[in-house]
Amino acid sequence: MARYTDWREIGSGGHANVYRVLDTRLGRDMAIKMLNAQASRNDALISGLRDEVLISHDLRHHRICAIHDLYEGVDGVSGEHGVGIVMDLIEGFDAKKWIRDNRGDLTATAEKRLTFLRHVTEALDFAHDRTKNGKIVLVHRDLKPANVFLFGGDITDPVIMDFGISIIGGESGAANVGGTPSYMAPEQFEAPAQVDARSDLFALGVMAYELFTDQLPPTSLRDIIRTRKPPRPRVEEIPPPSTFCPVLPPEVDMVILALMAYEQAARPASAAEVLKVLKAARLVTPRVPSVMRDHVSERVQVEGGTYYMGSEASSPMANEKPYRRLKLSPFLIDAHPVTNAAFRDFARTAGRRPQPMSDDPVFGRDDHPVVGVTWEDARDYAAWVSGRLPTEAEWECAARGGQRFALYPWGAEPPTTTRANIDMTRQATSPVMAFPDGRNPLGLFDMCGNVWEWCFDSFDQDWYGKLRHDDRNPRNDVLGAPRCLRGGSFEAVADSGRCAFRSFAAPSERRRDVGFRVVYDL
């Protein structure tokens, strides 16, 4: 008696048909994916099916469809002999159908969509973590909604299908070009040998953008067969998903846009990084300008006491030495840089001209940090909200968040695309508080990257040498001298985002990468 009986076709694709069958040995229904007659003559596709069986033995995860065995026999419907794989039968339908059926219902289903994205990212993280000799060996290369099945049609219960064109051993080549153009990464078309886990992350970003906007992003290679050239839009000019689904928090916007970066190095380094952001993300009340105009609620207290400023002797930066032990009085500091929306309130109330980039479609967005302001503009705004600009000592000690020699606000690790907007991973500013992974222990956002921040102090290359241990609340005010900048910016090198890094500019200078935050005396 044949092991597999009661063949019923339940799906078909370009190369294969899928059947529901009864496994008479186990007494349960299974699915068999059989190459069609034409595909059965393609040695590469047959090899792909064999690979899928081998890969599945390393991918036992409840979010990845289990493949049990290779099947070689008659399909039981057409009577044709062929090659296939035996896999779990999943009752439901794919995410492509769900997205199509739920078009226009973005906000009401946002929580379910976010849960779906978390689960798919979790499965990718598991797959990419299968390593050999320290190298990632499994890359899907055809991640798309049609390859994500939903148990019972439930978008919150997905399972990834078809690891059959995955790379085994970390190798790939021109003959292995694979994927669906709408979701494939640029390197899959231009340089298949460079395909790696970040190629899957690009596809994840395209899927996520479609999930929260009901449309493919401008980064999609959907027209690649006609154009023969991957699109390369500026990521910061792509409308963020929250434009269409306003309950999405800025950190989800940022991670989705980062996933779709043209350059592999500009994308998050791993699915684990993305998953960390998604797990912490919570939907928000739709943001309106008035939310960003609250000048009271977004403040953090820094306790008075002993702090350390500067770098140890091993630092190559002379203007950060010698390090000094200081006494600071307690103060409040803004949790994030001053936004465009808040500065517009000031300009309107005080009868001043708006900042020069106020109408820019990216730099002028309400929830982005204000830029193009002089030191005097920043000083006057601070006085308007009953505050002042931070001294260098206050800024640096607040950035370290109570960690004595923290290299960066979060610790010793260098910036990543999920921690900070720095080192030209984007070409413009990003919304304030969009990088919770880079928040310091005090709860301060954007102390590394996004914009340089004006400080009160005049810049002096030898200032630290003029200080003494236990000086209280040091400040340096020299009329007409350049003023200090701290924190790095979106277009600054990663090293400039260190807590101790010092820069400066003329107080009258207006730059697209310079903003500020305010401190308040207690």
Side-chain angles (χ1 to χ4, degrees), residues 40-158:
S40 294
R41 295 190 290 270
N42 187 319
D43 291 340
L45 291 175
I46 293 174
S47 177
L49 283 185
R50 293 194 176 102
D51 287 347
E52 197 165 357
V53 176
L54 293 173
I55 290 168
S56 184
H57 286 286
D58 288 329
L59 288 179
R60 297 305 188 195
H61 188 277
H62 65 291
R63 296 293 173 198
I64 299 175
C65 183
I67 309 297
H68 301 288
D69 203 356
L70 192 68
Y71 176 83
E72 295 181 274
V74 177
D75 66 22
V77 174
S78 67
E80 295 181 354
H81 188 278
V83 179
I85 53 174
V86 182
M87 56 188 182
D88 283 346
L89 176 68
I90 301 174
E91 303 276 7
F93 48 81
D94 61 39
K96 179 179 179 180
K97 180 181 185 310
W98 190 95
I99 292 172
R100 183 177 64 246
D101 291 347
N102 289 272
R103 288 184 64 84
D105 199 19
L106 296 172
T107 301
T109 59
E111 188 64 63
K112 292 182 177 181
R113 293 170 190 257
L114 187 57
T115 299
F116 167 86
L117 187 58
R118 289 187 187 113
H119 287 330
V120 173
T121 306
E122 175 190 356
L124 276 186
D125 179 35
F126 179 84
H128 291 169
D129 196 41
R130 307 302 96 185
T131 59
K132 183 177 181 180
N133 297 325
K135 295 176 65 177
I136 291 174
V137 297
L138 296 178
V139 180
H140 192 289
R141 294 202 299 169
D142 196 24
L143 187 66
K144 58 184 178 181
N147 276 342
V148 181
F149 225 73
L150 309 176
F151 286 103
D154 182 356
I155 191 66
T156 67
D157 201 3

Side-chain angles (χ1 to χ4, degrees), residues 173-192:
N176 288 324
V177 175
T180 301
S182 290
Y183 302 91
M184 65 166 38
E187 62 272 12
Q188 287 180 258
F189 179 80
E190 294 184 316

Side-chain angles (χ1 to χ4, degrees), residues 141-144 177-186 188-189 202-203 206 216-217 219-228 230-231:
R141 294 202 299 169
D142 196 24
L143 187 66
K144 58 184 178 181
V177 175
T180 301
S182 290
Y183 302 91
M184 65 166 38
Q188 287 180 258
F189 179 80
F202 184 95
V206 176
L216 289 172
T219 57
S220 171
L221 276 63
R222 56 188 166 186
D223 297 323
I224 194 67
I225 303 302
R226 175 176 57 84
T227 64
R228 312 303 295 176

